[in-house]
Each structure stands twice: as structure tokens, then as C-alpha cells.
Amino acid sequence: MKVKYIGYDTVAIDKDKAYDVMSIEKGWYRIMTELDEDYLFPPEVFEIVEE
């Protein structure tokens, strides 16, 4: 699944950029960040662009 980040710009993740969801864990999305580390993010800060 591909999602677009709609939250605030951070060092680790860019606003309006699309990211691949690596997995969904307890309802949260595991995303590879701009720092080349994977983290869990809440789904409400993303918009699904591709199932």
C-alpha cells in the first residue's frame, strides 16, 4: 500500500510525499523514513493513494 503523509514536515518524514507501507501493526503504519529507519505512524496522518 502507498500512502501520502499529510502531517507536519519533520526531519524524518516529508509532508505531501508518498511512502510505501512496510506493514500494519496494531493499526499503525510502518514506514521507512528519510533517515533510513523504519517507524510506526498513526494512520490519521496519512492519505491512502494506492491500495
Side-chain angles (χ1 to χ4, degrees):
M1 173 170 49
K2 190 171 286 272
V3 294
K4 181 172 77 170
Y5 181 62
I6 56 174
Y8 296 105
D9 269 337
T10 69
V11 173
I13 194 164
D14 296 331
K15 184 175 181 177
D16 295 327
K17 183 173 178 178
Y19 292 90
D20 290 316
V21 176
M22 300 169 65
S23 64
I24 299 173
E25 301 172 31
K26 296 184 181 179
W28 284 40
Y29 298 155
R30 184 165 295 279
I31 305 282
M32 183 63 70
T33 69
E34 301 299 320
L35 303 173
D36 288 330
E37 298 176 346
D38 60 291
Y39 287 100
L40 288 171
F41 293 92
E44 51 272 355
V45 296
F46 291 93
E47 169 182 291
I48 297 173
V49 293
E50 185 180 300
E51 287 290 330

